[in-house]
Amino acid sequence: MGDPGREDARPPGPAPHRDAGLQPERTRLAWRRSSLSATVVAVLAGRQLVRSGAPGPVEVLGTALLGLMWLMFVVIAHRRMRALAAARPAGLPPRAALLLGGGTVALAVFGAAILLPGH
Amino acid sequence: MSHPDPGPDTSGRPSIGAEVRLWFSPARIREEGSTPDYRFSLANERTFLAWLRTGLALVGGGFAVDQFLPRLHEGTRLTFTVVLLVGGALCALRAVRHWGRCERAMRRGTDLPVSRFPAFLALGLGVLAAAMVVLVALGWTR
């Protein structure tokens, strides 16, 4: 395909490297939305931690954990978005799905852990 | 898409043992059947992300209830928050499980799994919203 002079030698129809449904683009945007959602939740969790009046070390540890969690979401999303740039992207690695699901559960557990002792 | 074994409902419920093994070594999904058209996999991936965002939104909603509704009574606020956090966690788990089951069904060429989860989620959220309306209407706030 490197030679532009050969372009019309291709059979008619849609270019083979372009999917008419824009599936990779839609999936990329879904990843973008998801990492934005994760960011909002991480910020709310951080606010919860600051308001909880937890002792200093707990606050530092909690913030570090939250930062790590957020970083995991963003890094997985970023790597997946790069993988989707391929002409025929491979499927989502099962480990990524498991990590993201686990991360969301961890955020909920984190929320309960800083919420319940205060009451 | 051919059905290798047209016997009675082999797609439905895998044994609990198989389910647990799949959770801890999810790469097993790739061992079965043939890779489906990548567009179907991407659609499944978007569905997974939509469920994950639903989970994240519920968790975030839990935080929001606790932080931004100071006029609710302590116990009520705590109940709402915990229910939303638990619901969010369940949604996230369900997102992973449903993604795996759909991926497997597509690889095997069987029917996609059906689930009662959306109905329960809708009912739960409806009850939660109705409870909030009743609380505010009756003035059971500080």
Side-chain angles (χ1 to χ4, degrees), chain B residues 81-101:
Chain B
T81 305
V82 169
V83 167
L84 284 171
L85 288 178
V86 170
L90 285 179
C91 263
L93 291 176
R94 196 267 177 176
V96 180
R97 179 163 178 262
H98 192 69
W99 174 81
R101 292 178 73 194

Side-chain angles (χ1 to χ4, degrees), chain A residues 32-106:
Chain A
R32 187 77 73 198
R33 286 197 296 278
S34 303
S35 53
L36 281 173
S37 305
T39 307
V40 170
V41 175
V43 167
L44 279 175
R47 193 171 182 273
Q48 184 92 42
L49 184 64
V50 170
R51 282 163 42 106
S52 70
V58 175
E59 214 165 275
V60 172
L61 192 72
T63 312
L65 272 178
L66 270 180
L68 272 179
M69 207 87 79
W70 176 77
L71 208 63
M72 183 188 82
F73 267 95
V74 173
V75 167
I76 291 180
H78 180 75
R79 290 174 59 168
R80 188 63 191 147
M81 282 191 273
R82 288 187 60 167
L84 285 171
R88 279 185 181 277
L92 174 69
R95 208 164 52 110
L98 211 54
L99 279 175
L100 292 184
T104 307
V105 174

Side-chain angles (χ1 to χ4, degrees), chain B residues 47-63:
Chain B
T47 310
F48 163 70
L49 288 174
W51 274 107
L52 196 73
R53 282 196 302 276
T54 307
L56 281 169
L58 289 175
V59 172
F63 288 135

Side-chain angles (χ1 to χ4, degrees), chain B:
Chain B
M1 296 254 170
S2 65
H3 288 249
D5 49 349
D9 188 26
T10 47
S11 67
R13 302 256 159 213
S15 73
I16 295 191
E19 189 82 31
V20 170
R21 276 199 303 281
L22 203 66
W23 266 91
F24 286 98
S25 56
R28 275 166 181 271
I29 292 172
R30 297 236 170 107
E31 290 171 5
E32 295 183 44
S34 56
T35 307
D37 186 327
Y38 76 100
R39 287 170 293 184
F40 298 154
S41 289
L42 290 184
N44 191 21
E45 182 176 335
R46 288 197 298 275
T47 310
F48 163 70
L49 288 174
W51 274 107
L52 196 73
R53 282 196 302 276
T54 307
L56 281 169
L58 289 175
V59 172
F63 288 135
V65 163
D66 192 60
Q67 294 178 31
F68 302 120
L69 297 179
R71 289 183 59 204
L72 281 186
H73 286 296
E74 200 77 9
T76 320
R77 197 170 65 218
L78 194 63
T79 310
F80 272 74
T81 305
V82 169
V83 167
L84 284 171
L85 288 178
V86 170
L90 285 179
C91 263
L93 291 176
R94 196 267 177 176
V96 180
R97 179 163 178 262
H98 192 69
W99 174 81
R101 292 178 73 194
C102 286
E103 203 70 15
R104 202 167 31 175
M106 288 195 296
R107 296 190 76 93
R108 289 174 175 172
T110 53
D111 289 344
L112 291 180
V114 290
S115 161
R116 292 189 203 92
F117 187 88
F120 286 129
L121 179 66
L123 274 178
L125 287 179
V127 167
L128 214 59
M132 187 61 101
V133 168
V134 169
L135 278 181
V136 172
L138 294 181
W140 285 353
T141 52
R142 271 199 280 247

